[in-house]
Amino acid sequence: MSRYALFGRSVSKSPSPQIHAAFARQAGIAMAYSAIDVEPEALDAALDAFVAGGGRGANITVPHKEAAFARCTALSERARKAGAVNTLRLDETQWYGDNTDGAGLIRDLTGRHGLDLRGRRTLLLGAGGAARGVAPALLDAGVRELVIVNRNPERADALADVLGEPARAHTRYWEDLANIGDFELVINATSAGRDDGVPLSLPFALCNDLTAAVDLNYGEVAIPFLAWARTAGLRTIVDGLGMLIEQAAESFEIWHGVRPETDAVYALLRAQTPEPKAA
């Protein structure tokens, strides 16, 4: 039985093993998938031990996506654009890295939620591995403008530089959020509410009548941003559960060459994690 795993911090309660078990049953593939908690300084050793124990592929989550990028001998174009990896596949003795976050987000927003992203002025909060994974896909999906704001402005600038489209993708300071206008799409890719202890305080001036609010997180971590979106009176509020399932399906296909169906898995997990409600 081939071994796969999720590597990240505090991932013991992740639904990823449940998701991949469902996909494997669909495809009739025998595979074991586990969640492995690991701190940044121990990631290299953990990956080496995983391979020694028969590991064939892995998902990578916070805070290891950029470190995983550095481990790869070969990269997909979308991983290279992102500068971050969330999917590893062992090709003989070398890691091949891909990033399925962006594809997963776009598939969820456009397919499941019926959002047309074309022409939307978009605010991306955050510039870490999650933001790096989705930013190129948002540009490819046709957003009109991508404004990147991060508490560490140097990281936001670095992401904008990687994207290489200064006319469409640029940065502003976090302190300027009240004065940068309104957006048709606001995406939270920060860890606010996860582990930094910093409350998420955003001005309602960011919103207009068409604004959709999307959190790349789900569950308890997403509560602060989703509460802000409800208080703002937004009609379209989306958490990261669908994205999680869609990016997992992309990873599964990279490993096994089979694209699983996601709707039944989404319905199962949605019943366990109630959908965020609009105001």
Side-chain angles (χ1 to χ4, degrees), residues 167-210:
R168 293 175 65 205
H170 49 88
T171 65
R172 297 292 297 267
Y173 290 112
W174 192 277
E175 295 76 14
D176 295 337
L177 281 174
N179 304 305
I180 60 176
D182 55 349
F183 297 83
E184 287 76 52
L185 181 62
V186 179
I187 298 177
N188 180 38
T190 73
S191 58
R194 182 197 299 269
D195 56 12
D196 60 8
V198 178
L200 188 64
S201 178
L202 301 171
F204 297 129
L206 296 172
C207 307
N208 61 42
D209 291 342
L210 300 177

Side-chain angles (χ1 to χ4, degrees), residues 79-188:
R80 187 171 287 107
K81 275 187 177 181
V85 158
N86 82 326
T87 302
L88 294 173
R89 184 184 69 206
L90 193 67
D91 290 346
E92 296 183 355
T93 61
Q94 306 294 326
W95 286 120
Y96 165 79
D98 204 339
N99 195 307
T100 66
D101 280 339
L105 175 65
I106 301 306
R107 185 179 288 267
D108 181 55
L109 294 183
T110 60
R112 180 166 290 111
H113 297 283
L115 294 181
D116 187 349
L117 303 182
R118 292 172 296 179
R120 290 186 183 239
R121 185 172 191 241
T122 300
L123 174 64
L124 179 61
L125 300 169
R132 283 177 166 269
V134 303
L138 289 166
L139 292 175
D140 290 344
V143 301
R144 172 169 57 90
E145 180 185 8
L146 184 65
V147 178
I148 305 163
V149 178
N150 191 58
R151 287 195 176 93
N152 181 333
E154 289 78 13
R155 285 177 65 82
D157 290 340
L159 174 53
D161 289 345
V162 167
L163 294 172
E165 292 195 42
R168 293 175 65 205
H170 49 88
T171 65
R172 297 292 297 267
Y173 290 112
W174 192 277
E175 295 76 14
D176 295 337
L177 281 174
N179 304 305
I180 60 176
D182 55 349
F183 297 83
E184 287 76 52
L185 181 62
V186 179
I187 298 177
N188 180 38

